[in-house]
Amino acid sequence: MATRITDVGRRIRRAWLLLAIVAGAGLSCDGPVSEQPIDSAPAASREHAIERTAVRSSALQSVGYDQEQRVLEIEFTSGAVYQYFDVPAEVYRRLMAAESHGRYFNQAVRNAGYRYQRMY
């Protein structure tokens, strides 16, 4: 089942990002030391939403991947959405095939040190 961000959601996200940029707010989050937060998302990620697929997990709500940009987008059960950059397609495929999506995410993404950005 695919989760799509509505046009209203996209407009709200873009307005929030613009406000954060104008206000000079960094768009990073606190995370494990191994992760490398970035100050702003690449232009391609800001302009287009990644379609996510719902997963059965106690930690993750949905997962999406932009193969061209190599961006993995994760929606957590808390509602927070993060994008992880320069993630190989194989990591995405294995995440979707994993018996435990949350465990695989922790091992292969969170602990791997990919640059990331909290979107909302």
Side-chain angles (χ1 to χ4, degrees), residues 7-117:
D7 287 336
V8 173
R10 281 190 206 113
R11 280 182 266 173
I12 290 171
R13 184 170 116 183
R14 286 182 185 158
W16 181 85
L17 287 169
L18 180 60
L19 178 62
I21 291 168
V22 170
L27 299 176
S28 62
C29 70
D30 295 329
V33 175
S34 65
E35 291 185 2
Q36 302 170 13
I38 61 172
D39 291 332
S40 62
S45 327
R46 288 193 303 257
E47 294 172 1
H48 114 104
I50 297 173
E51 187 172 323
R52 295 187 305 268
T53 301
V55 294
R56 299 190 88 193
S57 169
S58 60
L60 310 181
Q61 183 73 30
S62 62
V63 177
Y65 186 71
D66 182 322
Q67 190 163 358
E68 183 178 309
Q69 299 294 320
R70 294 174 36 116
V71 175
L72 177 69
E73 187 169 280
I74 304 288
E75 177 186 15
F76 293 91
T77 54
S78 67
V81 175
Y82 286 79
Q83 288 186 342
Y84 293 83
F85 303 99
D86 300 319
V87 177
E90 185 63 22
V91 171
Y92 167 69
R93 285 192 288 275
R94 289 182 180 184
L95 172 62
M96 295 305 286
E99 185 175 316
S100 170
H101 301 293
R103 187 176 317 129
Y104 184 84
F105 167 77
N106 284 331
Q107 293 170 350
V109 179
R110 179 174 279 157
N111 295 338
Y114 292 107
R115 293 176 308 120
Y116 68 92
Q117 175 66 55

